[in-house]
Amino acid sequence: MSDPFAISTSEEPFETNPAISLDDVAVSLGGHTILDGLSVDVDSGTFVGLIGPNGAGKTTLLRTLNGALSPDRGTVHVAGEDVHTLSSKAASRLVATVPQTTQVSFDFPVREVVRMGRTPHRGRFDGWSDADEQAVDAAMERTTVTDLAERSVTEVSGGERQRVLIARAIAQETPVLLLDEPTASLDINHQVRTLELVSDLVGDGTTAVAAIHDLNLAAHYCDALVLLSEGRVLAAGDPTAVLTESNLKSAFDAEAVVSRHPVTGSVYVTALPTPSDDASGRVHVVGGGGTGARALHVLSAAGYALSAGALNEGDTDAEAARRVGADLVTVPPYAPVDDAAQSAVESRVEAADVTVVADVEIGDGNLANLEAALAAEYLVLVEERSFSERNYAGDDGRAIYERLKARARVVEPSELLSVVGEFACESFGDSTNSEDAASDGDPTAEVEGAAAESNGSTAESNGSVIESNDSTAKPSGPAQSNHS
Amino acid sequence: MNVRTRATTWALGLSVLLAFVVVVSAGIGHVSIPPRTVARILLDALSVPVGVSLGGGMSLPLVGTVPTPSLSFASPFHFSVPDTARIIVLSVRLPRILLASLVGFALATAGVVMQGFFRNPMADPSIIGVSSGAAVGAVATIALSLSVPFGLHGAAFASAVITAFVVYLLATENGRTPVATLLLAGVAVQTFLGAVISFLLLQAGESLRQVVFWLMGHLAGATWDEVALLALVLPIPVGILLAYARDLNVLLLGEDDAQSLGIEVERTKRLLLATASVVTAAAVSVSGVIGFVGLVVPHMLRLVVGPDHRVLLPASALAGASFLVVTDTIARNGAAEIPVGVVTAALGAPFFLYLLRTREVHSP
């Protein structure tokens, strides 16, 4: 056995007779090694989530577990029996599989599809027994598809079809249930209902193994997770132990933040955009109350080194700044920005090539941030609302903001990235006359707002890995310099 | 049982239809004989063991197609019927009609199995080259004046089965036979055999007319021997296919699903393929290539009875028998005798296109 992962506390899996036991399983398809020496034990009555990037071997593992694929080496035991020495019929009395719902083109009635789940229990010339009928009725009731019984399986919705296939698997009356991406192509309501159903079945003693793409759903519903990567088990066990930032980095090659979900308390994974090397430069962001988070994400995705502050501890923007690894100046919760913090911010503003002031509400407590921003060489003000709407610092606030505005470029959120890129290049190319360049104010360069906008929203909405395609890296500096 | 009741009902209904079609068809021809007379002749004939080879003992769905003059049914009917009518019906028309019904029965059965097996609506009994194989054997025998054991039928049957086997071998790797590969291998081999047939036609010389007639599909000159041959060959493979109707249903869900539901997929595929090929080869070797029966009839019946093979298989088989009797009646009563394959194609193709355009043809 090569590094066995036991999803149980037991030291000797074979004595406690786990529901599923894989020992050094290797599978290759078409000459490619898909599974490369997997050893996993799954305890009876647990719900195990199989996670991992596309191509990690999740589906292959499921097909090996149900006997559809034979391993090149190693063994798969289910309920103590080697499934690959069993007949298909005998194996199908141990393992039921819910396939990914794909388009079905045969119009069997729903009830007939569920009845097919009884196939492994019937001889070729056996009639339909009462036990068969009861198993089908119970399975359909359990999955609430009884009302659909006479409908054609081609006519029901995707969520209903998923439940029909689960009913078929339940009617199979097996100790082990495998599900391949049971939540793929379902809306969020049906995803939750499906997993709740599987959890219930597990509560009744079934052992379930499901390949699940959504890490957060997996973390919430599964008793244990198996993280596959390149045909191997990278980690297995409790979701908190498996879903670590370093594991996710090595399996998915993705930057992610793992926290606790505020409502469910489950481990919660947020993927972040992978920083690209397209842009270079240092940007300081003045924000607060969530107004700077978007700028931080977008600029981080574009590859800038970031600093932020000063922010109160616990502020949304402070969280965001930590996630993107920004150099953060903080003050205690509800405390105003004191002199020490102000000078810390000033030093960061001076170090930065560009300073961005977000559409933040200004009061006496954070007015110091604006004063500090006056030290910036290149200044960008993001305005969604006019300043008067968000000024709670009276005349002082307006006076400082007017001074900032006089030497800043005022932009829409969508223009931020391209303008910062422009400034960063100027700052990089010619820092001596940079103040004038900025104070000229007239936006003369083409602003590729749309590109930056779409980048920004992608980065925020689902955190997928994106490549920045903005114009920041283009040397637009020389074209601008004749303005000064 | 619900399905069983439906299957029995359909089988009985379509058997009655077939009996009716046979009686009416036997009365149609140069000499018109009223159906009542035909019925009397047939009932009379029941007491006469026409041939030992026609003995009964066949599975239930076959009763309708084979008028099995089995000894157990021997009843002393003695209607007075003109001898000429009796001879026309029993010696001339009935063998041809019964052969048509057996061939139609076989082709429709094989068509259902192939469409289910391939999960492809365009699949027909010849999809893996059985018909082309039979044609090569038959055409070679005629064109090259070969003398082979069991004659033309034997040569056609043997080459058909060999072709199916070769296609299967070509498509199989490591004990697995993906249906897509099988389909493509079938197409490739059919194309190759088409070239062989064309070449043989060039060599046919004086026997060209005979060769072309065979290729178009024909039932003319049917003999009781041919009827007996098919009646003997078909029951076992058709019985096997009926026994696997439930497996065919499960296979419709896809091979992975079928495997997870306890079907030994590769073994079942092998058996279904071999059996359906034997059924097709038996039909084609006596009648030549009759197209569209095995394609259109299963589609029509699927629209009526649904996709469940436990009902679809016997229903299609019996409907296929009636269909071919009707089309052959048309074929032999035209101004000039035309091959029945021409009639089935002429009727079947437009009908199939109609189904296609009205989007009523789905994958099985």
Side-chain angles (χ1 to χ4, degrees):
Chain A
M1 283 185 51
S2 65
D3 34 54
F5 286 90
I7 302 180
S8 64
T9 48
S10 63
E11 295 286 308
E12 309 214 1
F14 280 100
E15 281 185 11
T16 56
N17 200 11
I20 302 169
S21 173
L22 287 96
D23 182 14
D24 193 27
V25 170
V27 175
S28 55
L29 290 174
H32 296 281
T33 302
I34 308 293
L35 299 180
D36 189 11
L38 257 77
S39 299
V40 176
D41 288 332
V42 175
D43 256 3
S44 193
T46 51
F47 184 2
V48 174
L50 217 48
I51 57 173
N54 295 329
K58 300 188 293 289
T59 300
T60 305
L61 179 54
L62 291 178
R63 295 182 66 202
T64 310
L65 283 176
N66 73 12
L69 290 177
S70 299
D72 299 340
R73 63 161 206 270
T75 54
V76 178
H77 285 83
V78 174
E81 306 233 37
D82 184 341
V83 288
H84 294 100
T85 60
L86 297 175
S87 69
S88 174
K89 197 163 226 170
S92 304
R93 286 195 287 255
L94 293 176
V95 184
T97 307
V98 178
Q100 269 195 53
T101 36
T102 43
Q103 209 54 44
V104 282
S105 51
F106 52 87
D107 57 350
F108 282 110
V110 162
R111 188 174 187 82
E112 202 54 56
V113 174
V114 179
R115 279 182 165 182
M116 289 183 191
R118 298 302 296 169
T119 308
H121 295 277
R122 299 174 66 190
R124 180 163 307 288
F125 300 102
D126 285 357
W128 184 253
S129 71
D130 287 346
D132 293 329
E133 190 68 20
Q134 278 161 17
V136 168
D137 284 344
M140 291 180 68
E141 214 155 290
R142 190 86 200 232
T143 52
T144 63
V145 295
T146 311
D147 293 343
L148 307 173
E150 304 309 321
R151 298 263 302 277
S152 165
V153 73
T154 53
E155 289 169 7
V156 301
S157 73
E160 289 166 339
R161 194 174 308 138
Q162 174 75 274
R163 295 211 303 279
V164 171
L165 293 177
I166 294 177
R168 192 186 78 191
I170 295 173
Q172 233 171 305
E173 295 186 319
T174 56
V176 171
L177 182 64
L178 307 180
L179 303 99
D180 193 0
E181 301 287 357
T183 55
S185 80
L186 294 185
D187 63 41
I188 188 159
N189 171 33
H190 285 102
Q191 289 182 348
V192 169
R193 285 176 66 179
T194 300
L195 293 177
E196 292 281 351
L197 176 61
V198 176
S199 291
D200 281 357
L201 293 169
V202 170
D204 295 349
T206 306
T207 307
V209 178
I212 299 180
H213 250 309
D214 189 317
L215 299 178
N216 295 318
L217 283 176
H220 184 59
Y221 284 100
C222 297
D223 303 315
L225 297 180
V226 175
L227 174 57
L228 291 184
S229 176
E230 293 173 351
R232 290 172 171 277
V233 178
L234 194 69
D238 192 78
T240 38
V242 173
L243 292 177
T244 64
E245 284 164 23
S246 65
N247 279 344
L248 295 173
K249 173 78 180 159
S250 51
F252 294 90
D253 194 25
E255 302 291 339
V257 181
V258 178
S259 53
R260 285 282 174 174
H261 192 277
V263 178
T264 63
S266 302
V267 182
Y268 198 80
V269 177
T270 312
L272 298 176
T274 307
S276 70
D277 301 326
D278 287 0
S280 62
R282 189 163 190 89
V283 180
H284 181 83
V285 176
V286 174
T291 56
R294 181 190 169 108
L296 286 164
H297 275 299
V298 171
L299 293 169
S300 165
Y304 291 101
L306 294 171
S307 55
L311 292 162
N312 291 108
E313 265 312 335
D315 188 283
T316 317
D317 282 351
E319 288 291 306
R322 285 209 176 85
R323 286 184 186 177
V324 300
D327 177 13
L328 178 61
V329 179
T330 58
V331 292
Y334 306 110
V337 178
D338 55 19
D339 290 346
Q342 182 176 347
S343 61
V345 173
E346 261 161 17
S347 69
R348 280 161 182 80
V349 168
E350 276 162 18
D353 298 301
V354 183
T355 296
V356 174
V357 177
D359 187 52
V360 62
E361 299 185 343
I362 296 297
D364 292 332
N366 63 355
L367 192 58
N369 281 340
L370 292 192
E371 285 177 39
L374 285 168
E377 276 181 55
Y378 288 84
L379 193 56
V380 179
L381 301 182
V382 180
E383 275 196 4
E384 286 175 272
R385 301 166 288 178
S386 70
F387 183 71
S388 56
E389 283 179 55
R390 49 191 166 94
N391 179 21
Y392 300 95
D395 292 342
D396 288 351
R398 191 163 55 247
I400 295 179
Y401 196 77
E402 289 304 324
R403 283 174 66 197
L404 285 174
K405 205 167 178 174
R407 39 192 302 273
R409 178 85 68 86
V410 179
V411 299
E412 297 279 313
S414 60
E415 301 164 335
L416 175 67
L417 196 54
S418 55
V419 173
V420 168
E422 201 179 293
F423 283 177
C425 280
E426 282 180 39
S427 164
F428 200 68
D430 183 6
S431 60
T432 51
N433 53 5
S434 52
E435 281 189 23
D436 293 334
S439 59
D440 248 6
D442 259 32
T444 48
E446 280 286 314
V447 174
E448 297 186 20
E453 164 74 8
S454 67
N455 265 353
S457 57
T458 311
E460 281 199 358
S461 60
N462 59 8
S464 59
V465 178
I466 56 162
E467 289 286 328
S468 168
N469 65 347
D470 59 78
S471 58
T472 50
K474 286 179 197 159
S476 57
Q480 279 280 301
S481 58
N482 54 9
H483 260 286
S484 59
Chain B
M1 191 53 253
N2 188 17
V3 171
R4 203 165 288 177
T5 318
R6 278 179 62 216
T8 314
T9 311
W10 277 106
L12 281 177
L14 288 166
S15 298
V16 170
L17 174 70
L18 178 61
F20 173 76
V21 165
V22 167
V23 169
V24 171
S25 172
I28 298 174
H30 283 304
V31 179
S32 190
I33 302 169
R36 173 193 286 266
T37 314
V38 175
R40 284 178 172 169
I41 293 168
L42 294 181
L43 287 174
D44 258 5
L46 281 182
S47 60
V48 182
V50 177
V52 278
S53 53
L54 279 177
M58 286 152 196
S59 58
L60 188 80
L62 281 167
V63 169
T65 63
V66 186
T68 53
S70 77
L71 296 168
S72 56
F73 272 100
S75 53
F77 288 113
H78 292 292
F79 299 106
S80 74
V81 185
D83 273 356
T84 42
R86 188 188 298 275
I87 290 166
I88 287 172
V89 169
L90 289 183
S91 308
V92 180
R93 291 185 190 161
L94 201 56
R96 178 166 179 166
I97 289 167
L98 291 184
L99 192 67
S101 68
L102 285 171
V103 168
F105 185 93
L107 291 177
T109 304
V112 169
V113 173
M114 290 300 189
Q115 284 172 8
F117 179 96
F118 282 98
R119 294 187 292 283
N120 185 326
M122 286 311 291
D124 76 352
S126 305
I127 193 156
I128 61 163
V130 176
S131 293
S132 304
V136 167
V139 171
T141 309
I142 301 170
L144 308 177
S145 307
L146 301 177
S147 110
V148 286
F150 306 110
L152 190 58
H153 299 331
F157 184 82
S159 61
V161 171
I162 291 169
T163 305
F165 190 62
V166 167
V167 169
Y168 168 78
L169 285 184
L170 286 173
T172 302
E173 199 179 290
N174 298 331
R176 285 178 187 268
T177 318
V179 289
T181 316
L182 196 62
L183 201 84
L184 292 174
V187 170
V189 168
Q190 282 189 63
T191 310
F192 174 75
L193 293 180
V196 173
I197 292 168
S198 298
F199 177 77
L200 287 172
L201 282 174
L202 289 175
Q203 313 297 314
E206 288 177 6
S207 56
L208 184 63
R209 193 182 152 77
Q210 197 191 345
V211 169
V212 170
F213 194 68
W214 194 94
L215 282 177
M216 283 197 226
H218 57 90
L219 291 160
T223 64
W224 278 112
D225 281 352
E226 287 173 330
V227 174
L229 191 69
L230 266 194
L232 273 180
V233 169
L234 289 181
I236 290 174
V238 171
I240 293 174
L241 293 177
L242 281 171
Y244 273 80
R246 214 167 63 201
D247 302 57
L248 266 169
N249 285 348
V250 179
L251 271 175
L252 277 188
L253 303 181
E255 291 182 17
D256 272 7
D257 278 22
Q259 175 80 35
S260 78
L261 288 170
I263 307 290
E264 298 283 357
V265 170
E266 291 302 328
R267 202 174 70 195
T268 306
K269 276 161 65 183
R270 229 169 9 242
L271 181 122
L272 290 174
L273 204 60
T275 313
S277 297
V278 166
V279 168
T280 311
V284 173
S285 63
V286 297
S287 68
V289 184
I290 299 176
F292 275 97
V293 182
L295 180 66
V296 173
V297 173
H299 273 301
M300 292 194 294
L301 269 292
R302 197 174 281 113
L303 289 178
V304 180
V305 306
D308 193 326
H309 285 93
R310 289 169 293 181
V311 184
L312 179 61
L313 204 52
S316 283
L318 291 166
S322 294
F323 178 81
L324 201 56
V325 171
V326 170
T327 45
D328 187 51
T329 307
I330 297 170
R332 67 184 162 86
N333 284 296
E337 160 105 26
I338 43 175
V340 65
V342 174
V343 180
T344 56
L347 288 179
F351 183 73
F352 189 72
L353 287 173
Y354 164 75
L355 292 182
L356 206 63
R357 296 300 299 184
T358 53
R359 295 176 178 278
E360 281 173 339
V361 175
H362 305 291
S363 306

